[in-house]
Amino acid sequence: MTADESELRELRSSVREFLEAKSPEETVRKLMESEPRFDPAVWSQAADQLRLPGLAIPEEYGGDGFGLVELGVVLEEMGRALFCAPFFATVLLAAQALLASGDKEACARLLPGIASGRTTATLAVAEDHGSWDPAMVSARAVPDGDGDGGWTVRGRKCFVVDGTTADLILVVARTVAGPTLFAVQRDAVGLSAEPMETLDATRAMARLTLDAVPATLVGAQGAGGRIMAKVLDIASVGLAAEQAGGARRCLETSADYARVRHQFGRPIGSFQAVKHKCADMLVQVELAEASSREAARLADEDSPDFPVAAAVAHACCSRAYMTAAMENIQVHGGIGFTWEHSAHLYFRRAKSSQLLFGGPAVYHERLLDRLGI
């Protein structure tokens, strides 16, 4: 299912109105220091009123069957508002991993809860080294010996988005066949989670310890590499949309301030240096939006060019968001460096997003790989 332009505008308007009411800056700051780092009531409203968790989940699993284009609109608005919620981990990571596994039984069992917003989920891949490459995974999974097809997982996972609150955790662990995807429930025996202190407090991350944790196989043994390749492409485009939304907000904030802040009897926006900063930000933001939206379109069309477009979008949007966030601080001058100003919140989100899937060196290498170079 694909929405037309008028429907996309209506979706954007509805999501923006919701987030302006539910995620103003004071709410974001409050949630940054709370546990959990989201409001369950607001999450329920997002699910019940706007049906956001199920937007891009197939109808057969209780979702609305839309694609990455529609999801990108939602993520742009969430990035713009620094929305604190388990949306990215649940919808972009966990749900896409389930769909990529090709395991219809697991999808039928787990996706309806995600689509309804009753189940939050995440994907645990990276370990102490921080790499999302399945080849680097050292966590181990072995059959539990009961003969019922069950497994147990041992290992540590780091940088697990919303890992302390997710009801369902999809874990990539190594079997004799290679990296493999497993489902673990929050209340599983042997599972412990502790919050990690990171640069960006608006995106909660956790360190998980799995000590012979009961797990269920998802998909085929050894399919973790194939699954993660697809998930990272889709998640990179979702992250790119979120970055583009944040970059656009930085541009808007800078332009608004440049119009009202006066020095030497005139708006600072009339000074050439400030004009150049805003113009450079605009170029970066427009490029970010274009690259992320084009990648989403190619994904929905199942184009063979999608993997390349996803890598390009990730690179362009990471650079654009960092540029916009840094220049936003510069345009605001001294006040932009203070804890009380929102500029540093966007800078922290920009930097953490740039590093989320491995940083510039990794995603540029991924682009070269997708190009076959």
Side-chain angles (χ1 to χ4, degrees), residues 177-223:
T180 304
L181 189 65
F182 294 90
V184 173
Q185 297 299 321
R186 157 63 48 207
D187 56 0
V189 176
L191 174 65
S192 63
E194 58 177 320
M196 296 180 68
E197 186 174 345
T198 60
L199 177 68
D200 177 20
T202 65
R203 198 192 301 278
M205 292 197 179
R207 182 181 293 105
L208 307 183
T209 302
L210 302 102
D211 184 9
V213 174
T216 304
L217 178 67
V218 176
Q221 283 195 59

mmCIF file of all heavy atoms in Angstrom, residues 177-223:
data_model
loop_
_atom_site.group_PDB
_atom_site.id
_atom_site.type_symbol
_atom_site.label_atom_id
_atom_site.label_comp_id
_atom_site.label_asym_id
_atom_site.label_seq_id
_atom_site.Cartn_x
_atom_site.Cartn_y
_atom_site.Cartn_z
ATOM 1 N N ALA A 177 26.384 -23.111 12.850
ATOM 2 C CA ALA A 177 26.099 -22.728 11.465
ATOM 3 C C ALA A 177 26.449 -21.271 11.176
ATOM 4 O O ALA A 177 26.431 -20.851 10.014
ATOM 5 C CB ALA A 177 24.623 -22.974 11.149
ATOM 6 N N GLY A 178 26.774 -20.499 12.220
ATOM 7 C CA GLY A 178 27.109 -19.094 12.019
ATOM 8 C C GLY A 178 26.160 -18.178 12.775
ATOM 9 O O GLY A 178 25.343 -18.639 13.593
ATOM 10 N N PRO A 179 26.229 -16.853 12.548
ATOM 11 C CA PRO A 179 25.356 -15.903 13.232
ATOM 12 C C PRO A 179 23.881 -16.224 12.974
ATOM 13 O O PRO A 179 23.478 -16.460 11.830
ATOM 14 C CB PRO A 179 25.733 -14.548 12.620
ATOM 15 C CG PRO A 179 27.117 -14.748 12.097
ATOM 16 C CD PRO A 179 27.169 -16.178 11.635
ATOM 17 N N THR A 180 23.089 -16.240 14.036
ATOM 18 C CA THR A 180 21.701 -16.671 13.958
ATOM 19 C C THR A 180 20.845 -15.769 14.841
ATOM 20 O O THR A 180 21.314 -15.243 15.850
ATOM 21 C CB THR A 180 21.574 -18.140 14.434
ATOM 22 O OG1 THR A 180 22.451 -18.962 13.642
ATOM 23 C CG2 THR A 180 20.159 -18.658 14.283
ATOM 24 N N LEU A 181 19.590 -15.587 14.463
ATOM 25 C CA LEU A 181 18.677 -14.708 15.197
ATOM 26 C C LEU A 181 17.828 -15.524 16.172
ATOM 27 O O LEU A 181 17.283 -16.573 15.813
ATOM 28 C CB LEU A 181 17.769 -13.963 14.212
ATOM 29 C CG LEU A 181 16.886 -12.846 14.781
ATOM 30 C CD1 LEU A 181 17.743 -11.700 15.300
ATOM 31 C CD2 LEU A 181 15.917 -12.341 13.713
ATOM 32 N N PHE A 182 17.713 -15.009 17.398
ATOM 33 C CA PHE A 182 16.915 -15.661 18.438
ATOM 34 C C PHE A 182 16.007 -14.634 19.104
ATOM 35 O O PHE A 182 16.341 -13.454 19.187
ATOM 36 C CB PHE A 182 17.819 -16.299 19.502
ATOM 37 C CG PHE A 182 18.642 -17.443 18.998
ATOM 38 C CD1 PHE A 182 19.916 -17.209 18.478
ATOM 39 C CD2 PHE A 182 18.159 -18.738 19.027
ATOM 40 C CE1 PHE A 182 20.687 -18.257 17.999
ATOM 41 C CE2 PHE A 182 18.915 -19.793 18.548
ATOM 42 C CZ PHE A 182 20.179 -19.558 18.031
ATOM 43 N N ALA A 183 14.866 -15.119 19.594
ATOM 44 C CA ALA A 183 13.932 -14.276 20.341
ATOM 45 C C ALA A 183 14.036 -14.594 21.824
ATOM 46 O O ALA A 183 14.001 -15.767 22.222
ATOM 47 C CB ALA A 183 12.509 -14.507 19.855
ATOM 48 N N VAL A 184 14.162 -13.554 22.642
ATOM 49 C CA VAL A 184 14.278 -13.692 24.092
ATOM 50 C C VAL A 184 13.233 -12.785 24.740
ATOM 51 O O VAL A 184 13.088 -11.622 24.342
ATOM 52 C CB VAL A 184 15.693 -13.300 24.573
ATOM 53 C CG1 VAL A 184 15.759 -13.278 26.089
ATOM 54 C CG2 VAL A 184 16.734 -14.254 24.001
ATOM 55 N N GLN A 185 12.537 -13.284 25.723
ATOM 56 C CA GLN A 185 11.534 -12.492 26.428
ATOM 57 C C GLN A 185 12.183 -11.706 27.564
ATOM 58 O O GLN A 185 13.172 -12.138 28.164
ATOM 59 C CB GLN A 185 10.432 -13.398 26.984
ATOM 60 C CG GLN A 185 9.638 -14.137 25.912
ATOM 61 C CD GLN A 185 8.908 -13.206 24.964
ATOM 62 O OE1 GLN A 185 8.366 -12.171 25.378
ATOM 63 N NE2 GLN A 185 8.897 -13.554 23.675
ATOM 64 N N ARG A 186 11.613 -10.567 27.891
ATOM 65 C CA ARG A 186 12.159 -9.686 28.914
ATOM 66 C C ARG A 186 12.331 -10.390 30.265
ATOM 67 O O ARG A 186 13.317 -10.168 30.973
ATOM 68 C CB ARG A 186 11.226 -8.469 29.061
ATOM 69 C CG ARG A 186 11.283 -7.712 30.371
ATOM 70 C CD ARG A 186 12.603 -7.078 30.670
ATOM 71 N NE ARG A 186 13.105 -6.341 29.542
ATOM 72 C CZ ARG A 186 14.384 -6.110 29.287
ATOM 73 N NH1 ARG A 186 15.306 -6.610 30.099
ATOM 74 N NH2 ARG A 186 14.768 -5.421 28.250
ATOM 75 N N ASP A 187 11.369 -11.238 30.615
ATOM 76 C CA ASP A 187 11.405 -11.871 31.929
ATOM 77 C C ASP A 187 12.141 -13.212 31.928
ATOM 78 O O ASP A 187 12.015 -13.996 32.872
ATOM 79 C CB ASP A 187 9.984 -12.069 32.464
ATOM 80 C CG ASP A 187 9.111 -12.874 31.508
ATOM 81 O OD1 ASP A 187 9.603 -13.273 30.431
ATOM 82 O OD2 ASP A 187 7.922 -13.102 31.833
ATOM 83 N N ALA A 188 12.929 -13.483 30.880
ATOM 84 C CA ALA A 188 13.635 -14.756 30.797
ATOM 85 C C ALA A 188 14.655 -14.901 31.925
ATOM 86 O O ALA A 188 15.321 -13.936 32.312
ATOM 87 C CB ALA A 188 14.326 -14.883 29.437
ATOM 88 N N VAL A 189 14.761 -16.109 32.445
ATOM 89 C CA VAL A 189 15.730 -16.393 33.501
ATOM 90 C C VAL A 189 17.147 -16.239 32.951
ATOM 91 O O VAL A 189 17.461 -16.720 31.867
ATOM 92 C CB VAL A 189 15.537 -17.827 34.042
ATOM 93 C CG1 VAL A 189 16.611 -18.164 35.080
ATOM 94 C CG2 VAL A 189 14.144 -17.992 34.639
ATOM 95 N N GLY A 190 18.005 -15.551 33.700
ATOM 96 C CA GLY A 190 19.394 -15.378 33.287
ATOM 97 C C GLY A 190 19.662 -14.110 32.502
ATOM 98 O O GLY A 190 20.815 -13.824 32.165
ATOM 99 N N LEU A 191 18.617 -13.339 32.230
ATOM 100 C CA LEU A 191 18.780 -12.084 31.481
ATOM 101 C C LEU A 191 18.820 -10.904 32.439
ATOM 102 O O LEU A 191 17.937 -10.748 33.290
ATOM 103 C CB LEU A 191 17.631 -11.903 30.496
ATOM 104 C CG LEU A 191 17.588 -10.566 29.737
ATOM 105 C CD1 LEU A 191 18.792 -10.435 28.815
ATOM 106 C CD2 LEU A 191 16.293 -10.432 28.945
ATOM 107 N N SER A 192 19.848 -10.074 32.326
ATOM 108 C CA SER A 192 19.917 -8.839 33.117
ATOM 109 C C SER A 192 20.270 -7.685 32.199
ATOM 110 O O SER A 192 20.973 -7.855 31.208
ATOM 111 C CB SER A 192 20.952 -8.963 34.243
ATOM 112 O OG SER A 192 22.244 -9.157 33.701
ATOM 113 N N ALA A 193 19.751 -6.513 32.526
ATOM 114 C CA ALA A 193 19.981 -5.323 31.706
ATOM 115 C C ALA A 193 20.313 -4.146 32.596
ATOM 116 O O ALA A 193 19.698 -3.965 33.658
ATOM 117 C CB ALA A 193 18.745 -5.014 30.866
ATOM 118 N N GLU A 194 21.274 -3.356 32.178
ATOM 119 C CA GLU A 194 21.617 -2.141 32.907
ATOM 120 C C GLU A 194 21.743 -0.986 31.914
ATOM 121 O O GLU A 194 22.271 -1.164 30.811
ATOM 122 C CB GLU A 194 22.924 -2.313 33.676
ATOM 123 C CG GLU A 194 24.117 -2.684 32.822
ATOM 124 C CD GLU A 194 25.393 -2.771 33.637
ATOM 125 O OE1 GLU A 194 25.589 -1.931 34.528
ATOM 126 O OE2 GLU A 194 26.206 -3.666 33.351
ATOM 127 N N PRO A 195 21.240 0.191 32.279
ATOM 128 C CA PRO A 195 21.328 1.324 31.367
ATOM 129 C C PRO A 195 22.767 1.771 31.158
ATOM 130 O O PRO A 195 23.588 1.691 32.078
ATOM 131 C CB PRO A 195 20.503 2.414 32.056
ATOM 132 C CG PRO A 195 20.473 2.016 33.499
ATOM 133 C CD PRO A 195 20.546 0.525 33.535
ATOM 134 N N MET A 196 23.071 2.214 29.950
ATOM 135 C CA MET A 196 24.388 2.748 29.638
ATOM 136 C C MET A 196 24.312 4.269 29.617
ATOM 137 O O MET A 196 23.340 4.844 29.125
ATOM 138 C CB MET A 196 24.873 2.237 28.274
ATOM 139 C CG MET A 196 25.087 0.751 28.187
ATOM 140 S SD MET A 196 25.672 0.222 26.541
ATOM 141 C CE MET A 196 27.321 0.954 26.519
ATOM 142 N N GLU A 197 25.335 4.903 30.135
ATOM 143 C CA GLU A 197 25.414 6.360 30.082
ATOM 144 C C GLU A 197 26.096 6.740 28.776
ATOM 145 O O GLU A 197 27.277 6.471 28.576
ATOM 146 C CB GLU A 197 26.201 6.907 31.270
ATOM 147 C CG GLU A 197 26.197 8.431 31.337
ATOM 148 C CD GLU A 197 26.859 8.955 32.595
ATOM 149 O OE1 GLU A 197 27.070 8.165 33.534
ATOM 150 O OE2 GLU A 197 27.167 10.164 32.617
ATOM 151 N N THR A 198 25.345 7.359 27.886
ATOM 152 C CA THR A 198 25.861 7.710 26.568
ATOM 153 C C THR A 198 25.737 9.208 26.329
ATOM 154 O O THR A 198 25.134 9.928 27.120
ATOM 155 C CB THR A 198 25.107 6.946 25.462
ATOM 156 O OG1 THR A 198 23.713 7.280 25.531
ATOM 157 C CG2 THR A 198 25.264 5.436 25.629
ATOM 158 N N LEU A 199 26.292 9.660 25.220
ATOM 159 C CA LEU A 199 26.271 11.083 24.891
ATOM 160 C C LEU A 199 24.852 11.611 24.741
ATOM 161 O O LEU A 199 24.538 12.723 25.160
ATOM 162 C CB LEU A 199 27.056 11.313 23.589
ATOM 163 C CG LEU A 199 27.088 12.738 23.048
ATOM 164 C CD1 LEU A 199 27.898 13.635 23.984
ATOM 165 C CD2 LEU A 199 27.693 12.773 21.641
ATOM 166 N N ASP A 200 23.982 10.800 24.132
ATOM 167 C CA ASP A 200 22.620 11.231 23.831
ATOM 168 C C ASP A 200 21.645 10.577 24.792
ATOM 169 O O ASP A 200 21.307 9.401 24.643
ATOM 170 C CB ASP A 200 22.279 10.859 22.381
ATOM 171 C CG ASP A 200 20.852 11.197 22.011
ATOM 172 O OD1 ASP A 200 20.248 12.049 22.705
ATOM 173 O OD2 ASP A 200 20.340 10.625 21.034
ATOM 174 N N ALA A 201 21.170 11.332 25.762
ATOM 175 C CA ALA A 201 20.253 10.783 26.761
ATOM 176 C C ALA A 201 18.836 10.637 26.235
ATOM 177 O O ALA A 201 17.988 10.042 26.903
ATOM 178 C CB ALA A 201 20.242 11.671 28.011
ATOM 179 N N THR A 202 18.557 11.162 25.033
ATOM 180 C CA THR A 202 17.205 11.034 24.483
ATOM 181 C C THR A 202 16.992 9.680 23.813
ATOM 182 O O THR A 202 15.857 9.332 23.484
ATOM 183 C CB THR A 202 16.914 12.137 23.446
ATOM 184 O OG1 THR A 202 17.776 11.983 22.307
ATOM 185 C CG2 THR A 202 17.114 13.514 24.051
ATOM 186 N N ARG A 203 18.070 8.928 23.562
ATOM 187 C CA ARG A 203 17.934 7.578 23.014
ATOM 188 C C ARG A 203 18.550 6.600 24.012
ATOM 189 O O ARG A 203 19.765 6.474 24.095
ATOM 190 C CB ARG A 203 18.621 7.453 21.651
ATOM 191 C CG ARG A 203 18.117 6.225 20.876
ATOM 192 C CD ARG A 203 18.960 5.886 19.673
ATOM 193 N NE ARG A 203 19.101 6.902 18.665
ATOM 194 C CZ ARG A 203 18.203 7.153 17.698
ATOM 195 N NH1 ARG A 203 17.070 6.487 17.653
ATOM 196 N NH2 ARG A 203 18.444 8.092 16.796
ATOM 197 N N ALA A 204 17.692 5.926 24.762
ATOM 198 C CA ALA A 204 18.156 5.040 25.823
ATOM 199 C C ALA A 204 18.874 3.825 25.253
ATOM 200 O O ALA A 204 18.421 3.219 24.283
ATOM 201 C CB ALA A 204 16.977 4.590 26.672
ATOM 202 N N MET A 205 20.002 3.476 25.852
ATOM 203 C CA MET A 205 20.739 2.285 25.464
ATOM 204 C C MET A 205 21.081 1.465 26.702
ATOM 205 O O MET A 205 21.137 1.985 27.812
ATOM 206 C CB MET A 205 22.013 2.660 24.701
ATOM 207 C CG MET A 205 21.748 3.275 23.355
ATOM 208 S SD MET A 205 23.196 3.266 22.302
ATOM 209 C CE MET A 205 22.511 4.022 20.816
ATOM 210 N N ALA A 206 21.299 0.176 26.463
ATOM 211 C CA ALA A 206 21.517 -0.723 27.595
ATOM 212 C C ALA A 206 22.605 -1.726 27.294
ATOM 213 O O ALA A 206 22.937 -1.996 26.136
ATOM 214 C CB ALA A 206 20.219 -1.453 27.937
ATOM 215 N N ARG A 207 23.140 -2.283 28.370
ATOM 216 C CA ARG A 207 24.081 -3.404 28.297
ATOM 217 C C ARG A 207 23.357 -4.635 28.822
ATOM 218 O O ARG A 207 22.830 -4.624 29.940
ATOM 219 C CB ARG A 207 25.330 -3.104 29.117
ATOM 220 C CG ARG A 207 26.382 -4.193 29.067
ATOM 221 C CD ARG A 207 27.589 -3.841 29.936
ATOM 222 N NE ARG A 207 28.326 -2.687 29.389
ATOM 223 C CZ ARG A 207 28.280 -1.462 29.912
ATOM 224 N NH1 ARG A 207 27.532 -1.213 30.967
ATOM 225 N NH2 ARG A 207 28.978 -0.486 29.381
ATOM 226 N N LEU A 208 23.307 -5.691 28.032
ATOM 227 C CA LEU A 208 22.613 -6.915 28.416
ATOM 228 C C LEU A 208 23.614 -8.015 28.727
ATOM 229 O O LEU A 208 24.619 -8.166 28.030
ATOM 230 C CB LEU A 208 21.681 -7.400 27.301
ATOM 231 C CG LEU A 208 20.653 -6.419 26.735
ATOM 232 C CD1 LEU A 208 19.782 -7.119 25.700
ATOM 233 C CD2 LEU A 208 19.788 -5.833 27.845
ATOM 234 N N THR A 209 23.323 -8.764 29.758
ATOM 235 C CA THR A 209 24.096 -9.961 30.077
ATOM 236 C C THR A 209 23.162 -11.161 29.975
ATOM 237 O O THR A 209 22.093 -11.176 30.600
ATOM 238 C CB THR A 209 24.682 -9.884 31.493
ATOM 239 O OG1 THR A 209 25.517 -8.720 31.599
ATOM 240 C CG2 THR A 209 25.510 -11.112 31.795
ATOM 241 N N LEU A 210 23.558 -12.137 29.166
ATOM 242 C CA LEU A 210 22.741 -13.325 28.952
ATOM 243 C C LEU A 210 23.499 -14.533 29.488
ATOM 244 O O LEU A 210 24.546 -14.901 28.955
ATOM 245 C CB LEU A 210 22.422 -13.514 27.466
ATOM 246 C CG LEU A 210 21.687 -12.342 26.790
ATOM 247 C CD1 LEU A 210 22.682 -11.510 25.970
ATOM 248 C CD2 LEU A 210 20.569 -12.829 25.897
ATOM 249 N N ASP A 211 22.964 -15.121 30.542
ATOM 250 C CA ASP A 211 23.607 -16.260 31.201
ATOM 251 C C ASP A 211 22.706 -17.488 31.045
ATOM 252 O O ASP A 211 21.804 -17.716 31.837
ATOM 253 C CB ASP A 211 23.836 -15.934 32.674
ATOM 254 C CG ASP A 211 24.603 -17.038 33.400
ATOM 255 O OD1 ASP A 211 25.090 -17.967 32.723
ATOM 256 O OD2 ASP A 211 24.696 -16.970 34.635
ATOM 257 N N ALA A 212 22.956 -18.251 29.969
ATOM 258 C CA ALA A 212 22.136 -19.428 29.654
ATOM 259 C C ALA A 212 20.657 -19.055 29.577
ATOM 260 O O ALA A 212 19.793 -19.710 30.180
ATOM 261 C CB ALA A 212 22.369 -20.535 30.661
ATOM 262 N N VAL A 213 20.360 -18.002 28.848
ATOM 263 C CA VAL A 213 18.998 -17.489 28.735
ATOM 264 C C VAL A 213 18.200 -18.336 27.742
ATOM 265 O O VAL A 213 18.660 -18.565 26.614
ATOM 266 C CB VAL A 213 19.018 -16.015 28.282
ATOM 267 C CG1 VAL A 213 17.607 -15.510 28.029
ATOM 268 C CG2 VAL A 213 19.707 -15.156 29.321
ATOM 269 N N PRO A 214 17.000 -18.786 28.100
ATOM 270 C CA PRO A 214 16.160 -19.525 27.151
ATOM 271 C C PRO A 214 15.802 -18.647 25.956
ATOM 272 O O PRO A 214 15.445 -17.473 26.115
ATOM 273 C CB PRO A 214 14.911 -19.869 27.974
ATOM 274 C CG PRO A 214 15.328 -19.744 29.400
ATOM 275 C CD PRO A 214 16.378 -18.681 29.432
ATOM 276 N N ALA A 215 15.907 -19.210 24.755
ATOM 277 C CA ALA A 215 15.666 -18.441 23.536
ATOM 278 C C ALA A 215 14.964 -19.310 22.508
ATOM 279 O O ALA A 215 15.021 -20.547 22.556
ATOM 280 C CB ALA A 215 16.986 -17.914 22.972
ATOM 281 N N THR A 216 14.313 -18.649 21.557
ATOM 282 C CA THR A 216 13.618 -19.338 20.475
ATOM 283 C C THR A 216 14.267 -18.967 19.153
ATOM 284 O O THR A 216 14.484 -17.778 18.873
ATOM 285 C CB THR A 216 12.129 -18.936 20.447
ATOM 286 O OG1 THR A 216 11.544 -19.212 21.728
ATOM 287 C CG2 THR A 216 11.381 -19.714 19.371
ATOM 288 N N LEU A 217 14.565 -19.951 18.346
ATOM 289 C CA LEU A 217 15.167 -19.713 17.039
ATOM 290 C C LEU A 217 14.201 -18.947 16.137
ATOM 291 O O LEU A 217 13.016 -19.273 16.057
ATOM 292 C CB LEU A 217 15.533 -21.047 16.391
ATOM 293 C CG LEU A 217 16.137 -20.996 14.983
ATOM 294 C CD1 LEU A 217 17.511 -20.343 15.010
ATOM 295 C CD2 LEU A 217 16.228 -22.405 14.395
ATOM 296 N N VAL A 218 14.717 -17.918 15.455
ATOM 297 C CA VAL A 218 13.926 -17.153 14.483
ATOM 298 C C VAL A 218 14.611 -17.293 13.123
ATOM 299 O O VAL A 218 15.770 -16.897 12.967
ATOM 300 C CB VAL A 218 13.824 -15.669 14.878
ATOM 301 C CG1 VAL A 218 13.081 -14.885 13.795
ATOM 302 C CG2 VAL A 218 13.131 -15.511 16.222
ATOM 303 N N GLY A 219 13.898 -17.848 12.148
ATOM 304 C CA GLY A 219 14.512 -18.067 10.842
ATOM 305 C C GLY A 219 15.422 -19.283 10.871
ATOM 306 O O GLY A 219 15.350 -20.132 11.762
ATOM 307 N N ALA A 220 16.312 -19.340 9.904
ATOM 308 C CA ALA A 220 17.209 -20.489 9.777
ATOM 309 C C ALA A 220 18.519 -20.238 10.502
ATOM 310 O O ALA A 220 18.963 -19.095 10.644
ATOM 311 C CB ALA A 220 17.490 -20.763 8.297
ATOM 312 N N GLN A 221 19.141 -21.325 10.961
ATOM 313 C CA GLN A 221 20.473 -21.211 11.561
ATOM 314 C C GLN A 221 21.459 -20.662 10.524
ATOM 315 O O GLN A 221 21.422 -21.043 9.356
ATOM 316 C CB GLN A 221 20.963 -22.572 12.049
ATOM 317 C CG GLN A 221 20.357 -23.046 13.337
ATOM 318 C CD GLN A 221 21.169 -24.195 13.919
ATOM 319 O OE1 GLN A 221 22.363 -24.046 14.202
ATOM 320 N NE2 GLN A 221 20.514 -25.335 14.092
ATOM 321 N N GLY A 222 22.327 -19.774 10.969
ATOM 322 C CA GLY A 222 23.342 -19.221 10.081
ATOM 323 C C GLY A 222 22.860 -18.115 9.175
ATOM 324 O O GLY A 222 23.631 -17.601 8.361
ATOM 325 N N ALA A 223 21.579 -17.724 9.314
ATOM 326 C CA ALA A 223 21.021 -16.687 8.432
ATOM 327 C C ALA A 223 21.191 -15.283 8.989
ATOM 328 O O ALA A 223 20.697 -14.316 8.396
ATOM 329 C CB ALA A 223 19.538 -16.953 8.179
#
